[in-house]
Amino acid sequence: MNKSSVFTVIVLIFSLTSTAQVVEKLTREEAMSETLENNFGIKMAKNDLRIADNNRGILNSGYLPSVTGLAGANYSIQDQEVTFRDGTTNIVEGAETKRYDASVNINYTLFDGLGRWYDYKRLKEEYNLSELEVRQTIENTLLQMFTVYFEVARLTENVEVLKSTYENTKNRLVRAEYRFEYGQTNRLEVLNAQVDLVTDSINLINARQTLRNTKRDLNVVLNQSIERNFEVDTTVSFIEGLRMQTYLEEADTNNVRLQMARSNIEVSTLNFKASRSVYLPTVNLSGSYGWNEGQFPVTSFATGNTSTGLAAGVSLSWNLFDGGSGITSVKNSKIQIENQTLLKEQLQVEVARDIANAEGNYRNRLEIYRLQEQNVVTATDNYERSLERYKLGQITSVELRQAQINLLNNRTTRNLAKYQAKIAELELLQQTGQLLNVAF
């Protein structure tokens, strides 16, 4: 084996070593499942939803009474001098007085101007808003995950393209060496093939490293070990046009940002209604059960007493004027409704624009992908014809190399166009509110 052949074998072994191991297959469904289960952002969003769920519960509603228990003991020692009406005087040194008491008290707000009622409804609406926020977080995270997933798929296909290019160049070098040995070509053909082989090897090595780095990026999104190796599904399908048109028609109802805007208006409306409770009275009920015991010195008319019993009461309070803070709060709450309504109208315009842009990008990239597919067919046919002509000695290795590079560029560009079209489709699905409702 000559030096060039040894060089070829060394480069081949170095380039292909990293693919020797068997790796797991990570489907899109599994990637989605791992993201929903493990992603840190989604976990924190779900914890916020749990807080909102606690807040909307009966224990935070204000509808339950408050119950308190009180207990106490007092002790005093004094020197006392008591003069009675008949003029006699009684002096006691170190007179002790002991008092003990315990009680259970209950307070309940019977009516507070309906503020409690609207606050309770607001907490329930805030839970619905939190659900929408979790959905928005999930949509954004899944879009991020799929962007990285399809980048892994694109780089995987590019590696295969580069491997095919490498193999073709290697075969060309072997053919050039044989032809040189038999005097059918000059040394320049061999040198050109060796240079091209080194270039293809470097491109393949760099592509594999980029692929490994991108897999680590995906593992971070999935919250998995960054060194976990896997293969992804490189098949891509697109949603049929009629179904996508239905999604577009329902976008105003399903877009999560618009749903959140509507929910914010409802929260502000309930805040406004609750703030008006300042104009109405508050009625409170109270009750207690208590025990008292006292032990007194001889200077007292009684040396001790014990009492137990129930007590109950009702009270009404009406804040006729609080300096104007209540009226100000009501006015500001009403303005807040106006602001949320304006924000919703602004979002409607922005969402309509975003949907139009996303739809245009999707259709444009889908058309580019289809054109690039046709380019690959043409470039493949051109390369195969050029290879046959090269074998017959009708064209030079430089012309064959140009056809090979054209095929390489068209195949990698086709891969890029395919996955850009798919990401554009996912972005459009997010804008229409359907990202979580379709299979990938």
Side-chain angles (χ1 to χ4, degrees):
M1 182 180 292
N2 57 34
K3 291 183 178 180
S4 62
S5 298
V6 173
F7 174 78
T8 301
V9 173
I10 292 174
V11 172
L12 180 61
I13 293 174
F14 181 75
S15 301
L16 301 181
T17 300
S18 61
T19 61
Q21 57 180 332
V22 177
V23 295
E24 65 173 303
K25 185 79 169 182
L26 179 65
T27 65
R28 289 189 279 269
E29 291 77 13
E30 290 170 343
M32 282 186 63
S33 177
E34 290 182 12
T35 301
L36 294 174
E37 182 178 355
N38 301 322
N39 181 266
F40 288 115
I42 293 178
K43 283 184 176 181
M44 288 186 286
K46 288 181 177 179
N47 282 339
D48 290 339
L49 182 62
R50 292 171 58 194
I51 292 174
D53 188 32
N54 292 335
N55 288 338
R56 70 169 179 167
I58 189 66
L59 295 178
N60 193 47
S61 66
Y63 278 104
L64 298 180
S66 63
V67 180
T68 57
L70 300 175
N74 293 283
Y75 174 81
S76 66
I77 183 169
Q78 300 173 333
D79 294 334
Q80 297 182 353
E81 180 179 340
V82 180
T83 302
F84 298 98
R85 289 183 178 181
D86 60 1
T88 60
T89 301
N90 188 7
I91 298 175
V92 178
E93 295 181 356
E96 294 182 338
T97 301
K98 300 177 182 178
R99 295 180 183 275
Y100 308 96
D101 64 87
S103 64
V104 176
N105 305 287
I106 182 170
N107 291 281
Y108 183 70
T109 300
L110 186 64
F111 179 76
D112 69 344
L114 297 178
R116 175 178 54 183
W117 165 251
Y118 289 118
D119 282 339
Y120 188 44
K121 294 183 68 175
R122 174 181 56 80
L123 291 172
K124 288 183 175 295
E125 186 59 36
E126 286 179 349
Y127 175 81
N128 297 334
L129 180 60
S130 295
E131 283 188 319
L132 293 173
E133 290 171 347
V134 171
R135 175 187 156 189
Q136 185 180 48
T137 299
I138 291 175
E139 286 184 357
N140 291 336
T141 304
L142 286 180
L143 185 59
Q144 177 193 12
M145 184 276 292
F146 276 122
T147 300
V148 182
Y149 184 96
F150 286 125
E151 180 64 7
V152 172
R154 183 184 74 85
L155 292 172
T156 299
E157 290 198 301
N158 282 356
V159 166
E160 293 302 316
V161 171
L162 290 169
K163 283 170 62 177
S164 175
T165 302
Y166 175 89
E167 290 294 330
N168 290 335
T169 304
K170 180 172 73 78
N171 292 335
R172 186 182 119 212
L173 175 58
V174 172
R175 179 179 295 275
E177 287 175 339
Y178 280 129
R179 293 175 65 182
F180 176 71
E181 289 178 2
Y182 288 101
Q184 297 177 353
T185 187
N186 55 37
R187 185 66 179 171
L188 183 60
E189 290 284 333
V190 177
L191 294 176
N192 284 338
Q194 288 179 345
V195 171
D196 292 340
L197 186 63
V198 171
T199 299
D200 293 343
S201 299
I202 292 172
N203 290 339
L204 183 56
I205 291 170
N206 287 335
R208 281 178 173 154
Q209 182 58 43
T210 304
L211 176 59
R212 284 192 289 269
N213 293 344
T214 309
K215 285 182 178 181
R216 293 189 184 99
D217 292 339
L218 183 56
N219 281 328
V220 170
V221 178
L222 302 179
N223 191 18
Q224 299 288 344
S225 170
I226 60 172
E227 297 302 331
R228 182 181 71 157
N229 197 11
F230 54 85
E231 293 179 350
V232 298
D233 186 1
T234 58
T235 59
V236 171
S237 60
F238 298 95
I239 296 175
E240 61 272 15
L242 185 61
R243 186 178 173 195
M244 183 64 77
Q245 187 61 38
T246 301
Y247 293 159
L248 290 170
E249 293 171 357
E250 299 172 351
D252 185 69
T253 302
N254 296 324
N255 180 274
V256 68
R257 287 189 293 165
L258 292 178
Q259 288 184 349
M260 290 173 64
R262 288 188 282 266
S263 181
N264 277 319
I265 291 176
E266 182 64 21
V267 169
S268 296
T269 301
L270 293 171
N271 267 330
F272 168 69
K273 292 179 178 179
S275 68
R276 292 190 301 180
S277 65
V278 70
Y279 299 139
L280 298 175
T282 300
V283 179
N284 291 305
L285 299 177
S286 61
S288 66
Y289 178 82
W291 164 79
N292 293 275
E293 180 179 336
Q295 298 177 8
F296 311 112
V298 294
T299 55
S300 177
F301 290 101
T303 58
N305 75 301
T306 300
S307 63
T308 57
L310 294 169
V314 59
S315 64
L316 182 147
S317 64
W318 198 333
N319 194 348
L320 300 179
F321 184 70
D322 62 356
S325 61
I327 297 174
T328 302
S329 177
V330 172
K331 289 181 177 180
N332 290 341
S333 297
K334 188 173 183 180
I335 294 173
Q336 188 62 31
I337 296 176
E338 296 177 6
N339 281 341
Q340 291 296 334
T341 302
L342 291 172
L343 180 59
K344 173 179 170 290
E345 293 174 358
Q346 178 186 356
L347 279 174
Q348 284 179 320
V349 176
E350 293 178 354
V351 168
R353 176 206 61 196
D354 293 342
I355 290 175
N357 290 344
E359 182 184 8
N361 290 338
Y362 171 59
R363 300 192 185 283
N364 182 64
R365 290 179 177 177
L366 195 59
E367 182 63 24
I368 290 174
Y369 167 57
R370 289 167 179 162
L371 291 174
Q372 289 294 344
E373 279 192 315
Q374 184 58 46
N375 264 355
V376 170
V377 173
T378 302
T380 301
D381 183 61
N382 179 60
Y383 174 72
E384 290 175 351
R385 290 174 181 270
S386 297
L387 182 60
E388 291 299 323
R389 294 181 64 190
Y390 173 73
K391 291 178 181 180
L392 297 173
Q394 296 177 352
I395 63 173
T396 66
S397 61
V398 174
E399 293 173 301
L400 176 63
R401 179 62 174 179
Q402 186 59 51
Q404 185 184 36
I405 291 175
N406 287 340
L407 176 59
L408 170 64
N409 291 340
N410 277 283
R411 292 179 69 184
T412 55
T413 303
R414 187 269 313 271
N415 292 341
L416 177 62
K418 177 172 67 172
Y419 292 110
Q420 282 184 336
K422 188 60 182 179
I423 295 300
E425 181 185 76
L426 296 180
E427 290 172 348
L428 180 56
L429 288 172
Q430 183 188 28
Q431 293 296 335
T432 59
Q434 299 292 341
L435 185 62
L436 305 181
N437 301 328
V438 297
F440 300 98

